[in-house]
Every structure is written in structure tokens, then in C-alpha cells.
């Protein structure tokens, strides 16, 4: 009588793998791209969810189909793995989002700080920033003011580092929402959401340390002038006790249970005004030229005169 | 060179054959095994993990191999749900295949549906408990038990009774639980 465990391990040892090898070079390049995209990917997922949810639930148009959010997020989430084994090229990252505003905040993309904002229940503000040394952590104090009275869930703010309006660095906000094994939207079990029980006029604060590294390969950002755009996403959950067809309630009992499908009734992204800061040293010419490759000019298709 | 590159290189340098062999047992195809390991490395190292050693990384990569494999299966299932809109449907291999007595374990494994195979490998190759397998694959513990039972029955048809087959309903082993790295891969 054999042991299945031994049989399996024997099968692994005898696997016909001649000529099969793993390219660490190719893997490392994909990892570099993904690490650069990580902020963007997290941002895309979070921004997609919040964007669609915020505009869908509390936005002016008032649509509220979660399937749209799932579809958009699914599509966006599959952008990153499909990136080619090349340095992230400006334009690559957002392309998968079909040029929609869901691609906001992508590494290497020009970003309009105003586009970060939705209809918010919180105003956040970043004070003046000190000059920083290359490779240092930039200390940032974020203050917030509640514009509404609500129980909201969030995580520490995220930040984008902009150079001439282009995203060159990021500190992603941990995403409260993610997707479960059946592609259902769940509360991210890997994060601990912060519950903010806000009353209009309340003030609160967060301290961030933003790494001054680029979002492609995590190298130190070179000397120069930059802007920091701090954003923070908030979600409002309702009790999920609607099994009897009851309307969800928004009392204090509404909670975000890790790993469970949340009953999302609202959400928004707060964004501070972009704050200027300087990395000390001698600026170099074209500091991001090797990353911000200019795409090849499109080839015009031949004109076909036949109808 | 950054730390994660050193770690990845060390892992592949020392454990490439073991990882490929494991992936082969999971998927049954050398070329797919190569892709699985490659994707698992990318998935593992794309997430910053301060202090990650090559030894620890191997655990993550192994978990990612099964995750990537099942993810790929899920994607193919999604495609199969709509492919009839584009072309005539092909036969989907989600049923137990025919196994001849005395066949090799790799051949017998190849007859198992992907999820069942993944459960069998995680249980009997990695010594994971049923709850750990459920967590890794994102399915219910009861489903894991059913897959294990079905898979073992199918394998025993070809390979005879296994000495450790009684483990199919064994209580979780604390040692195995401790050894099982927590899956944090995107699923």
C-alpha cells in the first residue's frame, strides 16, 4: 500500500521538466512594473469602486447598479496583470480603463487634482511641506473636517506625488473593498478599517510618511519640485439585515466585517489641494525620461477608396 | 539590486526544480507549470513584504501557484459561460476522466477536475488542513471535503488504496496549520 503524499512527491520529482526553466529576469521586470503599478492598481480598484459607487449612489445621476462597479473594477483589476514585460509607459496603465476617468491616478499619467474629488462629506487639508532629502520619508500632517454627520469607514489617506502634473510616486491608501473568491465584493480582510463617527464640524487628523520613491522601480525621486496630492476614500455601510425585505438601517450597528460582503450605501473620495514641496539637491534634466517613454506615432491606415 | 530581486534570484537558484515539480503536480503540464511558477513569482514579489526570506517566499510562491492555477480555471470558466456567443462550444473538461488501473499518479491526477486536483495536492503534498485549503482556494470547507473524497475515490480506482487515505476526514493537524502560510494573494 502506498502513501498518496509519497506518490505525489515522487511525481513532482519525476516531472518531465527537461528544458523548462523560470526566467527571473522576465519575472523581475513584471514585478517592477507591478510594484510601480501597485499604487495605481490599488488606486484603480479603490477609485473605480469609489468612483462608480460614489457617482452611482450619491452622485448626480443616481444610478446604483453594483454590477457596473464590479464590471469596471474587474476590468481595471485585470489591467495590471496584462501589462507587457516592459517599463510602464505613459498611457499603458490607463488604457485598460477605456480612457474613462476611472484611470485617475495611474503611474506615469497626467492627473488633474480636481478630478480626484467627488461629492464629499469630509474636507481634508495638507499643511505646508518641508524640503526633503532624496530618499527620505516626507512627513505629512493631514487634517480633516466633517461636512456631514455620518458613521464612515476609511483607512489612512493615500498620496500621489506629481511632477509637472504627472504621477511619479504614490503611497496607496489601503483598499477597504476587495473581491472575494467568487468575485463578489467584500470588505478587505487584510486591512483594518477605521470607523469615523463624525458630526458635522468635527476635526481630526492623520500623520503620513510618504516615501519619496518613484512608482516604477522604487528608486529615489531626484531633486526637483513636486506636488503632493493627498486623497482619502470613505465608505458608508448599512446593516445587512434585510433578509425579510426590510430597508437597511444606518445606525451605529452598521459595520464593516472583514471578508464579508458589505452593504454599501454611500462613499466618496476626499482630496486635499495639491501641496508643493521640494527635494533638495541639483535638479537633473528630464528626470523621468527613461520611464515616460513617448509612444510610437500611430500608423495611419491606408485610405481605401473602395466603398 | 533591490532586496526582493536578491530573494527571488536565491529562491529560483535553489528551488526552481522543486517549484516547477510542484506546479507540474498541480497542473499536469510542463509548459503550464513554467507559466504558473513565473506568475506565482510575480504575484508573490509584486507585493512589498519587508523581511521576506527565500525560505518564506517559497511558501508564498507555492500558495500562489495553486491560486494562479485556480484563478486561471475561474477565468476559463467565465469565458466558457459566454464563448458560445462567439463560436460553437467545446467540450469542457470538468468531469472525472477515465482511469485505468495501474496508471501513474500523474496520469491519474490528470483525470481530476482542476479544483479537485488542487485540493488533493494541497492536502497530501502540502499537508494543509481542510480549513487551510478552503482559505487558500476561497471555497467552503465542506466543498473541500467533498472534493477530497471524490478525488481520492477516483485516484484509488487507478492506484489502489492509499495508506494515508484515512486522512481525508482527519481533524486539522496543529503542525500543519502552523506550517501553512496565510494566503494573502489576490483571489
Amino acid at each position: 500500500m502506498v502513501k498518496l503524499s509519497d506518490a505525489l512527491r515522487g511525481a513532482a520529482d519525476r516531472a518531465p521538466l527537461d528544458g523548462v526553466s523560470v526566467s527571473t529576469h522576465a519575472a523581475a521586470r513584471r514585478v517592477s512594473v507591478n510594484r510601480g503599478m501597485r499604487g495605481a492598481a490599488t488606486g484603480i480598484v479603490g477609485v473605480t469602486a469609489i468612483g462608480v459607487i460614489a457617482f452611482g449612489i450619491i452622485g448626480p445621476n443616481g444610478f446604483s447598479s453594483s454590477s457596473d462597479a464590479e464590471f469596471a473594477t474587474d476590468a481595471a483589476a485585470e489591467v495590471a496583470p496584462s501589462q507587457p514585460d516592459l517599463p510602464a509607459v505613459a498611457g499603458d496603465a490607463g488604457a485598460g480603463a477605456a480612457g474613462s476617468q476611472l484611470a485617475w491616478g495611474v503611474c506615469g499619467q497626467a492627473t488633474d487634482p480636481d478630478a480626484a474629488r467627488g461629492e464629499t462629506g469630509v474636507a481634508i487639508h495638507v499643511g505646508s511641506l518641508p524640503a526633503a532629502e532624496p530618499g527620505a520619508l516626507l512627513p505629512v500632517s493631514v487634517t480633516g473636517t466633517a461636512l456631514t454627520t455620518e458613521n464612515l469607514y476609511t483607512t489612512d489617506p493615500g498620496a500621489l506625488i506629481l511632477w509637472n502634473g504627472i504621477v511619479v510616486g504614490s503611497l496607496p491608501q489601503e483598499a477597504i473593498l476587495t473581491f472575494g473568491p467568487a468575485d463578489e465584493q467584500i470588505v478587505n480582510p487584510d486591512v483594518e478599517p477605521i470607523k469615523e463617527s463624525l458630526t458635522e464640524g468635527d476635526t481630526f487628523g492623520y500623520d503620513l510618511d510618504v516615501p519619496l520613491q518613484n512608482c516604477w522601480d522604487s528608486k529615489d525621486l531626484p531633486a526637483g519640485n513636486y506636488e503632493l496630492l493627498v486623497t482619502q476614500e470613505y465608505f458608508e455601510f448599512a446593516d445587512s439585515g434585510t433578509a425579510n425585505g426590510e430597508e437597511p438601517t444606518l445606525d451605529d450597528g452598521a459595520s464593516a466585517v472583514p471578508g464579508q460582503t458589505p452593504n454599501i450605501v454611500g462613499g466618496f473620495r476626499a482630496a486635499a489641494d495639491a501641496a508643493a514641496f521640494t527635494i533638495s539637491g541639483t535638479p537633473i534634466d528630464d528626470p523621468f525620461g527613461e520611464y515616460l517613454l513617448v509612444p510610437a506615432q500611430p500608423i495611419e491606415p491606408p485610405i481605401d477608396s473602395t466603398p | 539590486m533591490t532586496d526582493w530581486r536578491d530573494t527571488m534570484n536565491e529562491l529560483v537558484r535553489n528551488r526552481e526544480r522543486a517549484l516547477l515539480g510542484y506546479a507540474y503536480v498541480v497542473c499536469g503540464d510542463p509548459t503550464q507549470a513554467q507559466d504558473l511558477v513565473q506568475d506565482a513569482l510575480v504575484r508573490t514579489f509584486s507585493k512589498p513584504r519587508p523581511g521576506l526570506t527565500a525560505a518564506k517566499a517559497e511558501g508564498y510562491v507555492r500558495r500562489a501557484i495553486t491560486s494562479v492555477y485556480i484563478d486561471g480555471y475561474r477565468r476559463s470558466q467565465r469565458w466558457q459561460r459566454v464563448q458560445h456567443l462567439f463560436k460553437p462550444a467545446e467540450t469542457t473538461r470538468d468531469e472525472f476522466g477515465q482511469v485505468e488501473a495501474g496508471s501513474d499518479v500523474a496520469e491519474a491526477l490528470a483525470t481530476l477536475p482542476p479544483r479537485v486536483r488542487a485540493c488533493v495536492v494541497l492536502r497530501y503534498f502540502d499537508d494543509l488542513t481542510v480549513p487551510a485549503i478552503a482559505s487558500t482556494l476561497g471555497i467552503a470547507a465542506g466543498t473541500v471535503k467533498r472534493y477530497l473524497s471524490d478525488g481520492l475515490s477516483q485516484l484509488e480506482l487507478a492506484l489502489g488504496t492509499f495508506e494515508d487515505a484515512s486522512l481525508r476526514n482527519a481533524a486539522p493537524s496543529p503542525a500543519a496549520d502552523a506550517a501553512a502560510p496565510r494566503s494573502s494573494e489576490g483571489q
Side-chain angles (χ1 to χ4, degrees):
Chain A
M1 192 183 297
V2 297
K3 292 180 74 172
L4 179 54
S5 53
D6 292 341
L8 291 174
R9 290 179 184 125
D13 292 339
R14 294 191 306 273
L17 296 167
D18 289 344
V20 177
S21 63
V22 178
S23 167
T24 53
H25 182 65
R29 288 207 304 180
R30 288 173 62 193
V31 171
S32 292
V33 171
N34 285 353
R35 286 194 169 214
M37 292 288 298
R38 182 175 152 74
T42 305
I44 287 172
V45 172
V47 167
T48 300
I50 190 68
V52 174
I53 292 166
F55 288 114
I57 295 177
I58 62 176
N61 294 330
F63 68 89
S64 60
S65 167
S66 61
S67 62
D68 290 337
E70 289 166 8
F71 171 80
T73 308
D74 200 27
E78 293 197 3
V79 170
S82 66
Q83 294 300 307
D85 293 338
L86 296 170
V89 178
D92 276 354
S100 74
Q101 54 188 311
L102 301 179
W104 177 86
V106 174
C107 186
Q109 289 275 27
T111 291
D112 177 7
D114 290 334
R117 296 185 181 84
E119 181 181 336
T120 71
V122 169
I124 60 173
H125 175 73
V126 172
S128 59
L129 300 173
E133 296 293 322
L137 293 172
L138 181 69
V140 180
S141 291
V142 182
T143 56
T145 304
L147 304 177
T148 182
T149 298
E150 282 175 316
N151 293 316
L152 299 170
Y153 284 88
T154 187
T155 54
D156 285 345
L160 298 176
I161 299 173
L162 308 179
W163 173 78
N164 289 340
I166 297 171
V167 177
V168 295
S170 66
L171 173 67
Q173 180 181 359
E174 290 186 310
I176 292 180
L177 299 179
T178 185
F179 285 84
D183 298 330
E184 77 281 20
Q185 202 166 42
I186 61 172
V187 175
N188 191 343
D190 293 332
V191 306
E192 190 168 341
I194 302 166
K195 184 175 183 180
E196 297 275 18
S197 298
L198 299 174
T199 302
E200 187 173 353
D202 281 353
T203 59
F204 52 90
Y206 293 90
D207 290 322
L208 304 179
D209 287 318
V210 180
L212 297 179
Q213 296 174 332
N214 76 34
C215 52
W216 290 277
D217 54 12
S218 301
K219 288 183 179 175
D220 294 348
L221 291 170
N225 297 321
Y226 298 88
E227 287 182 308
L228 188 77
L229 178 60
V230 173
T231 64
Q232 191 174 22
E233 295 167 359
Y234 289 83
F235 286 92
E236 184 180 11
F237 299 121
D239 281 337
S240 54
T242 57
N244 298 326
E246 302 164 357
E247 288 297 318
T249 60
L250 303 178
D251 59 21
D252 290 343
S255 59
V257 181
Q260 298 297 309
T261 299
N263 191 356
I264 306 167
V265 294
F268 56 83
R269 184 198 310 116
D273 290 333
F277 72 98
T278 301
I279 296 179
S280 57
T282 305
I284 59 175
D285 290 334
D286 196 15
F288 301 103
E290 64 178 305
Y291 305 107
L292 301 172
L293 302 177
V294 177
Q297 292 297 314
I299 300 172
E300 291 293 333
I303 298 174
D304 186 356
S305 57
T306 58
Chain B
M1 183 175 284
T2 51
D3 287 341
W4 64 265
R5 284 192 169 89
D6 291 335
T7 307
M8 181 195 290
N9 286 335
E10 182 187 345
L11 173 62
V12 173
R13 189 169 55 245
N14 296 330
R15 302 293 295 164
E16 179 183 34
R17 182 63 175 74
L19 291 172
L20 284 169
Y22 177 78
Y24 174 79
V25 172
V26 169
C27 70
D29 179 78
T31 304
Q32 192 182 0
Q34 182 183 31
D35 292 341
L36 283 180
V37 174
Q38 191 96 1
D39 288 348
L41 285 170
V42 172
R43 185 177 284 201
T44 298
F45 286 94
S46 289
K47 183 174 181 178
R49 302 176 195 273
L52 183 67
T53 62
K56 286 183 183 174
E58 182 175 353
Y60 282 108
V61 172
R62 284 175 183 264
R63 290 293 72 72
I65 285 170
T66 47
S67 298
V68 169
Y69 176 66
I70 292 299
D71 286 351
Y73 170 71
R74 285 177 178 143
R75 274 195 292 276
S76 72
Q77 289 294 92
R78 280 204 290 268
W79 165 244
Q80 284 166 10
R81 283 201 290 267
V82 298
Q83 69 172 350
H84 66 281
L85 300 173
F86 302 92
K87 63 179 183 180
E90 297 171 359
T91 304
T92 60
R93 225 180 61 131
D94 199 10
E95 300 297 330
F96 288 95
Q98 297 298 313
V99 184
E100 293 181 6
S103 61
D104 177 74
V105 67
E107 294 172 19
L109 274 176
T111 65
L112 302 183
R115 290 179 206 233
V116 176
R117 187 158 62 225
C119 287
V120 168
V121 171
L122 288 171
R123 181 70 187 93
Y124 291 96
F125 194 113
D126 294 293
D127 291 331
L128 292 195
T129 61
V130 167
I133 296 169
S135 171
T136 298
L137 299 182
I139 56 182
T143 307
V144 172
K145 288 181 181 176
R146 179 163 53 84
Y147 284 168
L148 285 174
S149 178
D150 292 348
L152 283 174
S153 299
Q154 175 79 353
L155 291 175
E156 284 179 337
L157 279 178
L159 304 169
T161 305
F162 297 116
E163 188 178 330
D164 47 356
S166 58
L167 293 177
R168 73 180 78 178
N169 293 319
S173 147
D177 269 339
R182 180 166 177 248
S183 173
S184 58
E185 310 305 331
Q187 292 184 32

